[in-house]
């Protein structure tokens, strides 16, 4: 490649930016840049497949690709300045994964022979590559996941109906992204103004005009942190903008069914980028699930008129900065979660999505429907302290209590609210006793799923659903951080109130078959409910350490010695949770705060 060309200068500048080659000297960068070949891979095309001979390594100049393993699992996204295929080129082993373009991408290709020759002349390059590979191996899984989430940089907005204003949404989204980095809003008019009339309608056909437009878009990506494409315009521009996106956002109305002709038109694009639906929430959300299912959307977001915080939360979640909170199960010990929510509120750390199990699921649902920690505290006080609605005891044929009082109370609180209609993304977990597996609930009757998530086996009857029996989610997953991580919205704070060490007979040598009927050394006597809860969650709690690894901050709340149904200790438990959360989160606040 001629060092005098603009293309050479662009390649060299990109190499200097990349972690893989950025530490090389000027002469080495010049030499390497002359070896590069520009390669364009359209969205959906494969760069190489499993078993291929490793003929080259690549550096992503613009775009996004992903690696698919032999078992079909997606190993991860590959974004700008990241290398592809470097291990194969160095080892000589066949490709271990198929790499596919998620959107139109520009790569710099370095042939194996020329790269080997370069390394022989510049051995520092091999050391630089080794450092990057070692750093990648040392990075823990949670850090790597978060870094991948935050590489989503390009968004395309599509009108889901004839009245949707994609321009207004693009402006609002850019305003929020601006607090996170440098943003460019790109529409057909802007392209024509920069490159000449009709440039936005250039077909993706490998022509000179196509290459010019791709190069211009690549320069924009290199100089900005986020790109927002308004797809309104000619068919060629609509297609172009869609295929430049890491994520596609469909704008519609939450109370109106989606236009299936528009759904079919988007499906015809055969996009690899994930799709989310952005729903204007003005007259309810009855059609929310119809939108999600029609577009096979990964998620949905509600936009209310004049609610700036909705767009701010959406922007955080789309860019991997959304704060997810996971609340574990543990009966009265779960009151400590109130303290966590209070601490986050005082530290101005907004919760963008929330989920939990058992009592954690109940508190998460209250927060997702708009209650702050004070309101949640009063609801729990009325439910468990003043009215003690877990007191409808019955002959223990299948359980100690009927649970009808609590179910009626939950219907008072949630009514016919559907989980998918909550303004804040929410989930709760139940246990399918029939199949011995967890079930995650993000849609359907909120009151019913919260009640089911709290049905401790032996204490409350299991719930029949589609031929199976469901019970308390804590039986198999008392701290569902794995569920939160799978949503892929940003950092996670987990609050664990599990029961390790909560039942014991201190000072008793034994065997003593009557010890459980007495109190020992001032310890509270163990109740039947505590024993049932402890036995039913043993398997779940053995996995807490593994699930804690999914969280960016794991809080083991100071609730030792508190029994499952000690409702009257609400204020004391909440205060303990608050002080502990303040102590642990304060030094880590910068990790969760967004500018």
């Amino acid at each position: 490649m001629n060092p005098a060309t603009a293309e050479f200068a662009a390649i060299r500048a990109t190499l200097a930016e990349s972690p893989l080659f950025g530490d090389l000297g000027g002469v080495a960068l010049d030499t390497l840049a002359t070896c590069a070949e520009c390669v364009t891979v359209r969205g959906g095309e494969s760069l190489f497949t499993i078993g291929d001979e490793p003929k080259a390594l690549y550096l992503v100049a613009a775009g996004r690709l992903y690696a698919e393993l032999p078992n079909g699992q997606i190993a991860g996204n590959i974004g700008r300045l990241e290398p592809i295929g470097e291990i194969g080129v160095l080892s000589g082993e066949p490709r271990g994964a198929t790499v596919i373009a998620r959107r139109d991408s520009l790569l710099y290709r370095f042939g194996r022979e020329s790269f080997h020759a370069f390394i022989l002349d510049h051995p520092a390059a091999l050391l630089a590559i080794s450092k990057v590979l070692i750093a990648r191996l040392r990075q823990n899984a949670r850090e790597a996941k978060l870094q991948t989430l935050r590489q989503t940089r390009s968004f395309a907005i599509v009108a889901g109906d004839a009245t949707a204003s994609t321009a207004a949404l693009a402006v609002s989204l850019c305003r929020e992204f601006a607090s996170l980095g440098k943003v460019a809003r790109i529409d057909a008019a802007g392209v024509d103004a920069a490159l000449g009339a009709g440039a936005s309608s250039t077909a993706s056909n490998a022509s000179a005009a196509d290459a010019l437009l791709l190069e211009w878009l690549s320069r924009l990506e290199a100089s900005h942190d986020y790109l927002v494409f308004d797809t309104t315009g000619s068919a060629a521009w609509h297609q172009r903008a869609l295929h430049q996106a890491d994520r596609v956002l469909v704008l519609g109305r939450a109370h109106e069914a989606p236009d299936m002709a528009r759904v079919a038109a988007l499906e015809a694009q055969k996009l690899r980028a994930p799709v989310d639906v952005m729903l204007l929430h003005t007259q309810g959300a009855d059609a929310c699930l119809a939108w999600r299912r029609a577009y096979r959307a990964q998620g949905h977001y509600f936009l209310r008129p004049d609610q700036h915080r909705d767009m701010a939360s959406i922007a955080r979640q789309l860019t991997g900065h959304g704060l997810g909170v996971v609340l574990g199960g543990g009966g009265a010990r779960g009151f400590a979660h109130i303290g966590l929510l209070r601490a986050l509120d005082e530290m101005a750390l907004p919760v963008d999505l929330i989920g939990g199990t058992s009592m954690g699921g109940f508190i998460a649902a209250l927060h997702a429907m708009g209650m702050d920690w004070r309101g949640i505290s009063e609801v729990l006080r009325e439910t468990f302290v003043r009215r003690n609605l877990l007191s409808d005891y019955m002959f223990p044929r299948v359980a100690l209590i009927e649970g009808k009082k609590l179910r009626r109370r939950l219907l008072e609180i949630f009514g016919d609210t559907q989980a998918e209609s909550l303004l804040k993304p929410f989930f709760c977990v139940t246990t399918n006793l029939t199949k011995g597996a967890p079930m995650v609930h993000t849609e359907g009757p909120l009151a019913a799923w919260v009640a089911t998530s709290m049905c401790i086996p032996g204490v409350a009857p299991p719930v029949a659903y589609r031929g199976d029996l469901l019970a308390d989610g804590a039986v198999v997953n008392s701290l569902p951080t794995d569920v939160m991580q799978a949503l892929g919205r940003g950092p996670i704070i987990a609050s664990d109130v599990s029961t390790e060490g909560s039942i014991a007979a201190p000072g008793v040598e034994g065997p003593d078959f009557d010890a459980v009927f007495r109190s020992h050394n001032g310890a509270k006597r163990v109740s039947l409910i505590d024993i049932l809860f402890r036995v039913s969650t043993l398997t779940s709690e053995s996995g807490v350490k593994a699930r804690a690894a999914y969280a960016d901050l794991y809080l083991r709340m100071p609730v030792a010695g508190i029994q499952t149904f000690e409702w009257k200790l609400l204020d004391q438990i909440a205060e303990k949770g608050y002080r502990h959360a303040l102590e642990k989160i304060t030094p880590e606040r910068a990790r969760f705060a967004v500018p």
Side-chain angles (χ1 to χ4, degrees), residues 18-35:
S18 72
L20 200 63
F21 304 115
D23 291 337
L24 298 180
V27 174
L29 288 175
D30 289 341
T31 304
L32 187 58
T34 61
C35 301

Side-chain angles (χ1 to χ4, degrees), residues 311-323:
M311 185 58 77
S313 178
I314 290 169
R316 290 192 294 269
Q317 293 179 65
L318 289 176
T319 58
H321 291 85
L323 176 57

Side-chain angles (χ1 to χ4, degrees), residues 412-480:
E412 287 177 19
I413 297 167
F414 299 118
D416 59 0
T417 299
Q418 302 296 295
E420 70 273 11
S421 70
L422 294 169
L423 293 173
K424 186 171 295 186
F426 159 85
F427 67 83
C428 67
V429 176
T430 63
T431 296
N432 187 315
L433 295 177
T434 305
K435 295 182 170 66
M439 292 185 67
V440 179
H441 305 279
T442 59
E443 58 187 60
L446 184 61
W449 292 135
V450 170
T452 306
S453 186
M454 299 173 71
C455 287
I456 303 170
V459 177
V463 178
Y465 178 68
R466 295 180 178 175
D468 294 340
L469 292 177
L470 311 186
D472 193 309
V475 173
V476 291
N477 195 344
S478 63
L479 192 69

Side-chain angles (χ1 to χ4, degrees), residues 329-335 358-359 384 388 390 454 456 459 472 497-499 502-503 524-537 541 559 561-569 573:
R333 289 179 288 274
F335 293 156
S358 196
M359 180 64 79
F384 297 107
N388 189 14
L390 289 176
M454 299 173 71
I456 303 170
V459 177
D472 193 309
V497 292
S498 58
T499 59
S502 63
I503 59 173
K524 297 170 184 174
R525 195 169 65 185
V526 175
S527 70
L528 173 60
I529 290 172
D530 289 311
I531 294 171
L532 288 172
F533 187 82
R534 178 63 174 152
V535 170
S536 67
T537 59
E541 287 166 17
V559 290
I562 296 170
Q563 295 185 1
T564 308
F565 279 13
E566 288 197 280
W567 309 123
K568 293 183 179 180
L569 298 181
I573 298 168

Side-chain angles (χ1 to χ4, degrees), residues 47-258:
L47 179 63
F48 52 72
T49 59
I50 295 170
D52 284 354
E53 182 184 351
K55 295 181 179 180
L57 71 82
Y58 302 83
L59 186 70
V60 181
R64 181 169 296 277
L65 305 93
Y66 65 93
E68 186 175 287
L69 300 177
N71 62 4
Q73 182 181 352
I74 303 302
N77 289 306
I78 309 164
R80 183 173 181 270
L81 302 179
E82 289 192 277
I84 303 174
E86 70 281 9
I87 294 177
V89 166
L90 292 174
S91 69
E93 296 177 353
R95 302 297 192 189
T98 296
V99 173
I100 303 167
R102 197 174 286 283
R103 60 180 173 96
D104 290 353
S105 302
L106 174 65
L107 313 178
Y108 297 146
R109 181 185 186 277
F110 302 91
R112 179 174 57 196
E113 289 76 17
S114 60
F115 188 72
H116 284 176
F118 170 75
I119 286 176
L120 289 174
D121 291 336
H122 302 276
L126 184 57
L127 180 61
I129 294 173
S130 300
K131 287 181 178 178
V132 171
L133 295 178
I134 291 169
R136 192 184 298 169
L137 291 172
R138 284 180 174 174
Q139 187 179 42
N140 70 45
R142 181 57 198 155
E143 289 173 346
K145 178 74 172 178
L146 197 56
Q147 182 178 350
T148 298
L149 290 175
R150 291 178 176 175
Q151 290 173 346
T152 301
R153 306 172 63 228
S154 178
F155 304 85
I157 302 174
V158 178
D161 62 46
T163 63
S165 175
T166 55
L169 177 57
V171 170
S172 297
L173 204 53
C174 285
R175 184 170 53 243
E176 297 303 331
F177 284 165
S179 67
L180 300 170
K182 191 177 181 182
V183 189
R185 181 169 65 91
I186 308 169
D187 57 16
V191 173
D192 291 344
L195 301 179
S200 63
S201 297
T202 302
S204 300
N205 56 8
S207 65
D210 177 31
L212 179 65
L213 179 50
L214 275 176
E215 182 186 353
W216 183 77
L217 291 171
S218 297
R219 289 200 304 270
L220 274 180
E221 182 169 357
S223 59
H224 292 78
D225 298 295
Y226 302 102
L227 304 181
V228 178
F229 289 86
D230 184 342
T231 62
T232 304
S234 67
W237 170 248
H238 182 77
Q239 182 183 53
R240 170 88 59 180
L242 285 172
H243 283 271
Q244 290 295 132
D246 293 330
R247 180 165 265 171
V248 175
L249 309 175
V250 179
L251 179 61
R253 299 182 183 280
H255 64 284
E256 296 178 358

